[in-house]
Amino acid sequence: MNVKARSSKAEARTQAQRERILCAAQQCFIEFGFHAAGMAKIAETAGMSPGLIYRYFENKSAIIQAIVERQLEYLREDISLNRKIDLTEEMIAGYGRAGGDDSRRLNASLLLELSAEATRDPQIAAAVLNFDEGLRHALHDWLMRSKDEGGHALPPALVPPRALILQLLFEGLRVRETRQPNLDRQLLSAALHEVIPRLLEP
């Protein structure tokens, strides 16, 4: 095996180990909260020693930052797809399903934990701010992109306020999930169909 192949294999193993830790940490944070989920609990859930985790992440704060960055990357990938989507229907279908075994979806409880932790930890606050700015930038691009490319071709002047409203809606729905997971889907559908189409048209 040549040097390049060995390096590629090592990188793949490192990435797999990091992903294993992040999935375990996300599960623990959702179940126990950031403060109750220590490195020992994360290690137990990941099926590895705490010492091994420290080879990949300096501390729990670094794990939280990595989870935030991973979620942003997932969102960017989803938004950048050159395909037409029915945003209203996707928001309705996604309500109450965030989290669980799907690490690509930001769990509502985890979002609240992140928001609370950001008020106490400057590093987490910076990561969350980067997430917010990254999401809004991706929304800007999607709203301005041509319809042939899966966008909405909105004039530049309309994009910033529309992107902000969409972001507020996304976050508001996640918070509402924690309080009212069994919200009447017909009512939710009527509300979103009233609002979303107007935000996506000039």
Side-chain angles (χ1 to χ4, degrees), residues 169-184:
L169 278 171
F170 295 154
E171 293 173 358
L173 283 173
R174 286 289 174 261
V175 173
R176 176 56 52 184
E177 284 183 30
T178 65
R179 301 180 188 172
Q180 199 173 2
N182 297 318
L183 177 67
D184 186 314

Side-chain angles (χ1 to χ4, degrees), residues 39-50:
M39 294 295 267
K41 176 59 71 175
I42 295 170
E44 179 185 343
T45 303
M48 60 178 65
S49 70

Side-chain angles (χ1 to χ4, degrees), residues 51-164:
L52 183 57
I53 289 182
Y54 282 112
R55 288 179 56 187
Y56 296 94
F57 296 98
E58 181 181 358
N59 50 39
K60 189 163 65 172
S61 181
I63 293 176
I64 296 170
Q65 291 177 64
I67 288 174
V68 173
E69 290 165 5
R70 183 178 68 163
Q71 290 295 330
L72 178 57
E73 189 58 35
Y74 288 156
L75 283 167
R76 282 176 175 154
E77 288 175 7
D78 290 343
I79 291 172
S80 67
L81 291 176
N82 292 335
R83 62 182 176 90
K84 296 185 184 301
I85 64 167
D86 187 329
L87 181 60
T88 307
E89 291 302 322
E90 290 206 3
M91 291 173 75
I92 295 167
Y95 187 89
R97 291 197 301 110
D101 295 329
D102 186 358
S103 64
R104 292 186 67 90
R105 300 181 64 84
L106 184 59
N107 180 277
S109 299
L110 184 57
L111 174 61
L112 291 177
E113 287 279 348
L114 280 170
S115 300
E117 194 65 18
T119 67
R120 297 183 287 264
D121 185 326
Q123 289 182 313
I124 302 303
V128 170
L129 178 61
N130 181 60
F131 176 89
D132 287 343
E133 291 175 347
L135 172 57
R136 197 154 329 144
H137 179 76
L139 286 171
H140 283 194
D141 177 69
W142 180 59
L143 292 172
M144 291 182 67
R145 201 182 307 153
S146 72
K147 293 189 177 183
D148 288 341
E149 295 175 313
H152 293 275
L154 292 187
L158 291 180
V159 169
R162 301 284 180 90
L164 175 59

